[in-house]
Amino acid sequence: MQFKKLKKLNKGDKVAIVSPSTVAPAIWPAVYELGLKRVREVFELEPVEMNFTCKKGATREQRGQDLIDAFRNPEIKAVISTLGGDDQVTYIKNLPKDVFAQNPKPFFGYSDNTHFINHLWLCGVPAFYGGALFTEFAMQVQMDDFTIKYLKYALFGNGEYELEASKEFNDIGLNWFDESLLNTRRRYQKNDGWYWDGEKNAQGILWGGCIEMIDEILRHGIQIPSLEDFEDIVLFFESSEEMPTSSYVRRVVRAFGERGILSRVKAVLVGRPKAWDFDKQNTDEQKVEYKNEQRDTILNTVREYNKEIPIIQNIDFGHTAPQICLPSGGRVRIDGKAKKIFAEF
């Protein structure tokens, strides 16, 4: 694949705010307004609300049209999703490719937005897996400095930057329906850092996303990179607040293996799994147990198909805070001896 070079932004540029999945602004308007405020004040950009960003009950066709309009509009320099959801698999495949290929610009989102990011990848357009308005920009009290750093790389920086492990992490949310909690800081815990297996150096183009969404892509026969493409790919994935069981994760990772993907990729990067949600309020001990089991499952399953590639887990991307917005379609370089990762933003 040949990828377009994304133009970097300048202060004052307009960025589109879209809701390709859940129309979150219609449910939590105070969180939405906080996110817009951060776009303006922290990044000095001008958010532009699209036609259906806040429309309760917006159809798939309307949400898809917002994506088309945002990319087609030359005044819009980047596109930021409000949140994820669970239905992009039903319509993203029907979107045109020429609009996006001819008007490349940075897109930010994750979770259900895996589908659109895969669509952009197939158009030769890089994107950023991370940086949703509600979860990153509208973080309670203030944005995480760690998150801001990588968002600024994506928006304004140019070149290769080292990825780092955060000193602390959070995966315990606060209820958006209680607006008073927007002034309450979440509970953070000490981060263990990366779990590294394999000492080979590696480099390749990033492709991946949320493992539950990748599962849907695979089971519905939606186009993904070819096996030839995967020979130059570093695969990345992470799991969502649904907190899938290790047996489920094993089956999806096994699907990568049986499709010939794991024997071809240059490396595997795994995000820190979310281990707490409002309907699954695990204790700290239960969270550790859940993450350890998933980590061992991924490692053992990948090794059934590839004994040599580096596998790095517990990286700060996906459904976690703080967060790295990984450059899908960007090149990543892995130094196995020094245990360092560098990515082109």
Side-chain angles (χ1 to χ4, degrees):
M1 284 291 297
Q2 296 296 316
F3 285 87
K4 309 291 193 303
K5 180 71 174 176
L6 296 178
K7 292 183 179 179
K8 294 301 180 174
L9 280 69
N10 297 304
K11 292 178 180 179
D13 279 348
K14 294 179 179 180
V15 295
I17 309 298
V18 295
S19 298
S21 299
T22 303
V23 184
I27 306 172
W28 302 285
V31 183
Y32 178 58
E33 291 301 326
L34 177 58
L36 297 181
K37 182 172 182 283
R38 300 275 177 66
V39 172
R40 295 187 187 101
E41 295 182 359
V42 178
F43 299 92
E44 299 181 61
L45 298 170
E46 181 183 343
V48 176
E49 185 179 291
M50 302 303 291
N51 289 333
F52 302 102
T53 301
C54 301
K55 182 177 174 56
K56 184 178 181 180
T59 65
R60 299 160 185 165
E61 291 76 18
Q62 290 170 331
R63 289 177 277 140
Q65 190 61 49
D66 269 359
L67 290 171
I68 292 171
D69 292 344
F71 273 78
R72 186 178 280 156
N73 186 341
E75 293 188 350
I76 299 296
K77 304 304 180 183
V79 182
I80 300 172
S81 65
T82 56
L83 197 62
D86 69 353
D87 75 340
Q88 280 190 25
V89 68
T90 63
Y91 79 89
I92 292 296
K93 62 182 181 293
N94 299 323
L95 293 180
K97 289 187 176 179
D98 59 331
V99 171
F100 307 108
Q102 293 168 12
N103 301 280
K105 57 190 67 175
F107 172 82
F108 294 84
Y110 62 107
S111 196
D112 198 31
N113 291 289
T114 295
H115 297 283
F116 185 54
I117 290 174
N118 176 60
H119 187 79
L120 291 174
W121 203 100
L122 297 171
C123 296
V125 178
F128 294 96
Y129 187 78
L133 189 79
F134 272 54
T135 46
E136 279 64 57
F137 289 85
M139 176 61 71
Q140 291 88 351
V141 183
Q142 64 182 26
M143 292 184 69
D144 289 305
D145 289 338
F146 185 94
T147 301
I148 292 172
K149 178 173 69 173
Y150 289 98
L151 284 171
K152 286 187 173 180
Y153 290 162
L155 289 164
F156 309 113
N158 211 334
E160 184 183 79
Y161 296 90
E162 183 176 353
L163 305 187
E164 299 171 307
S166 64
K167 294 180 179 179
E168 57 180 8
F169 78 95
N170 161 269
D171 64 357
I172 299 177
L174 294 173
N175 191 342
W176 282 334
F177 286 108
D178 185 348
E179 295 180 12
S180 69
L181 294 177
L182 293 177
N183 296 313
T184 300
R185 189 176 190 268
R186 295 186 184 187
R187 173 178 173 250
Y188 282 69
Q189 298 172 265
K190 184 180 182 297
N191 182 23
D192 292 340
W194 299 341
Y195 293 94
W196 197 293
D197 192 86
E199 294 187 350
K200 288 188 67 176
N201 294 337
Q203 62 176 314
I205 301 296
L206 284 165
W207 180 88
C210 178
I211 197 166
E212 294 99 317
M213 301 304 111
I214 295 175
D215 178 20
E216 287 221 277
I217 287 173
L218 296 178
R219 73 171 69 186
H220 293 295
I222 293 170
Q223 185 182 358
I224 62 173
S226 68
L227 288 180
E228 183 180 5
D229 289 329
F230 274 110
E231 292 177 359
D232 189 35
I233 281 177
V234 169
L235 175 66
F236 71 90
F237 58 84
E238 52 91 28
S239 54
S240 78
E241 76 280 357
E242 294 179 1
M243 293 165 54
T245 64
S246 60
S247 60
Y248 172 91
V249 171
R250 177 177 59 83
R251 290 188 179 99
V252 181
V253 177
R254 185 171 63 190
F256 291 144
E258 290 299 316
R259 284 173 172 262
I261 292 171
L262 292 180
S263 62
R264 288 172 168 82
V265 295
K266 299 300 186 183
V268 173
L269 307 182
V270 184
R272 179 184 305 106
K274 187 170 174 59
W276 185 99
D277 200 37
F278 293 102
D279 61 350
K280 298 178 183 177
Q281 298 188 21
N282 286 333
T283 64
D284 288 350
E285 292 75 17
Q286 289 171 324
K287 291 201 304 179
V288 169
E289 182 180 0
Y290 174 82
K291 289 187 284 189
N292 287 347
E293 186 174 5
Q294 185 183 113
R295 183 171 67 248
D296 291 344
T297 295
I298 291 170
L299 177 61
N300 293 335
T301 307
V302 172
R303 287 295 179 231
E304 290 178 16
Y305 297 91
N306 195 315
K307 304 294 186 185
E308 298 182 348
I309 57 172
I311 303 169
I312 304 101
Q313 303 195 61
N314 200 47
I315 303 176
D316 299 277
F317 70 86
H319 293 75
T320 188
Q323 185 199 74
I324 297 169
C325 53
L326 275 186
S328 169
R331 185 161 288 276
V332 66
R333 179 171 61 88
I334 297 167
D335 186 329
K337 290 278 194 286
K339 292 184 168 47
K340 291 187 175 184
I341 305 174
F342 304 85
E344 291 183 356
F345 283 78

